[in-house]
Structure formats: C-alpha cells, structure tokens
C-alpha cells in the first residue's frame, strides 16, 4: 500500500504565494508520475500540473496556471512540490496529490491519491 501526505495549504491574499508538498511512502518500487489536481465546490476535479520522471522529465500544466505555478519533484524523497505564485481567488480549491506507483510485483502503475489540502485565496 502507498500513502500520500500533503502539506502547505492555507489562506493567502490575492497575489500571494504558497508551496504545496506531497510525500509518498509505503511499498514503492518506482513512481512513474506525480501530480496535483484540484476541486472546488460544484466543479469536477481538474488537473493542475503533472510531472513524469522516467529518464527524461516532462511536465504539463492547466492553461489557467501556466506561468504562475511550477511543479517539481525530488525523486530520491518520493516527493512532489507545487510552487504557486500570483494566486487568484479562482485558485481556491482543495488540492489533491496523485501518484502513479509501481510496486515490486506489478508491471503497471497503480494510481494513489492524497487526502487533499485546502487552499483559500481571499482578502
């Protein structure tokens, strides 16, 4: 089993910054990809940013956060970060960490989710 623990959420004023962290632990052989999704009331969960590290590093972002958010990953620590700058009220949501994890016995990755961390952007 794999656990994802998020941290770094909170209340911030518009234009401010926050940094989210997510650490994966448990039965991990390797992690194919890690990412951040968010969900606000009445809306579907949406991809914010995702990073794949399989020799080369590939990232992709939602159009709404490009140029403001940066995703990064510490492969040795099984940790992913999301640096969020120039935050807007519309960024308010619960942010969920996601990881596609290979166990020692699997030939395909399984998806795991964190519990979520609240980000509120308000004056």
């Amino acid at each position: 089993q794999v656990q994802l623990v998020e941290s770094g959420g909170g209340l911030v004023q518009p234009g401010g910054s926050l940094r989210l962290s997510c650490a994966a632990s448990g039965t991990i052989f390797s992690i194919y990809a890690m990412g951040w999704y968010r969900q606000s009331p009445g809306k579907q969960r949406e991809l914010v940013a995702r990073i794949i590290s399989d020799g080369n590093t590939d990232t992709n972002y939602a159009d709404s956060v490009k140029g403001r958010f940066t995703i990064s990953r510490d492969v040795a620590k099984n940790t992913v970060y999301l640096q969020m700058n120039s935050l807007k009220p519309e960024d308010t949501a619960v942010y969920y960490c996601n990881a596609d994890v290979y166990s020692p016995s699997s030939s395909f990755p399984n998806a795991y989710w964190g519990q979520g961390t609240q980000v509120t952007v308000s004056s």
Side-chain angles (χ1 to χ4, degrees):
Q1 192 62 288
V2 173
Q3 297 79 41
L4 302 180
V5 178
E6 301 123 331
S7 61
L11 172 64
V12 65
Q13 292 186 341
S17 298
L18 282 176
R19 188 190 194 213
L20 305 183
S21 300
C22 171
S25 62
T27 307
I28 299 171
F29 177 71
S30 67
I31 300 178
Y32 171 69
M34 299 187 80
W36 292 94
Y37 292 71
R38 67 187 180 187
Q39 187 169 20
S40 50
K43 295 186 177 181
Q44 288 188 328
R45 190 173 297 188
E46 63 175 358
L47 172 70
V48 177
R50 191 167 183 255
I51 183 167
I52 298 171
S53 301
D54 59 351
N56 298 313
T57 298
D58 184 31
T59 58
N60 59 302
Y61 296 89
D63 288 342
S64 59
V65 307
K66 284 180 181 177
R68 300 188 298 122
F69 291 10
T70 302
I71 190 169
S72 61
R73 181 177 161 187
D74 186 328
V75 175
K77 295 182 178 180
N78 290 329
T79 299
V80 66
Y81 306 96
L82 184 69
Q83 178 66 43
M84 304 185 293
N85 298 328
S86 302
L87 282 160
K88 304 175 181 180
E90 50 264 43
D91 294 317
T92 296
V94 178
Y95 283 69
Y96 296 92
C97 177
N98 165 266
D100 295 331
V101 179
Y102 286 95
S103 70
S105 60
S106 68
S107 58
F108 55 87
N110 291 309
Y112 295 90
W113 293 90
Q115 297 281 6
T117 184
Q118 177 71 45
V119 171
T120 302
V121 185
S122 175
S123 54

